[in-house]
Amino acid sequence: MRVSAKADYAIRAMVELASAGGDGPVKGERISQAQSIPIKFLENILVDLRRGGLVESMRGSEGGYWLARPAAEISLAQVIRAVDGPLATVRGRRAEQLEFSGSAEPLREVWIAVRASLRGVLERVTLADVAAGELPAAVAALSRDADAWTPR
């Protein structure tokens, strides 16, 4: 899986909002500076997040952005889907829509398993988890595995 810059920035912006703890709207400039996200790129991302129902906004001098729901109710998977679409696709198509023939026929199940594995992590981890620095035990265990840190 490749995490796009857009998805990375979106998650970081959402964690920044989660860390703000509901202290009122957070200005885009503050998010941009805190997370080193180019402001124009961030503004487009925040539009996608608003359309996805994950953030709300208010214009004006007292305006800014805030989470549409509690941080504990927003998973990283939801953020990625809001800005990039489905978590795992093959040539732009969902795994269940694919058909392979002959010796490649089992690949459909492989791609479905890959998607399930991604979901197993990204749907378990919430913005609140990241903001608090406390990942779910199963996810933390995966990251502690020495083999997980070996690039291949």
Side-chain angles (χ1 to χ4, degrees):
M1 173 188 182
R2 293 178 193 260
V3 178
S4 70
K6 188 174 187 181
D8 175 52
Y9 288 161
I11 290 169
R12 289 166 44 197
M14 293 292 281
V15 170
E16 192 67 28
L17 290 174
S19 296
D23 293 337
V26 179
K27 300 276 186 206
E29 295 82 17
R30 176 175 152 198
I31 299 168
S32 171
Q33 291 173 353
Q35 292 298 321
S36 300
I37 302 171
I39 188 66
K40 288 295 182 187
F41 199 15
L42 176 62
E43 289 170 353
N44 291 327
I45 290 168
L46 289 167
V47 167
D48 288 343
L49 294 170
R50 192 168 34 91
R51 282 188 193 133
L54 299 179
V55 300
E56 293 184 11
S57 63
M58 182 173 68
R59 293 182 182 203
S61 62
E62 300 297 317
Y65 299 89
W66 62 93
L67 298 179
R69 299 191 311 269
E73 295 178 13
I74 302 174
S75 71
L76 301 188
Q78 291 170 314
V79 177
I80 293 170
R81 287 184 188 114
V83 298
D84 275 351
L87 293 179
T89 61
V90 177
R91 298 182 326 268
R93 296 177 60 201
R94 294 177 184 265
E96 67 276 5
Q97 297 172 330
L98 299 172
E99 290 186 31
F100 298 97
S101 58
S103 59
E105 195 170 333
L107 280 176
R108 179 179 181 199
E109 290 180 45
V110 170
W111 300 135
I112 289 173
V114 166
R115 181 179 63 194
S117 293
L118 288 171
R119 283 180 179 169
V121 173
L122 297 173
E123 288 182 352
R124 279 192 182 131
V125 180
T126 68
L127 298 176
D129 296 331
V130 177
E134 296 178 11
L135 300 178
V139 174
L142 286 170
S143 69
R144 283 193 303 270
D145 181 349
D147 192 47
W149 291 85
T150 304
R152 295 176 198 218

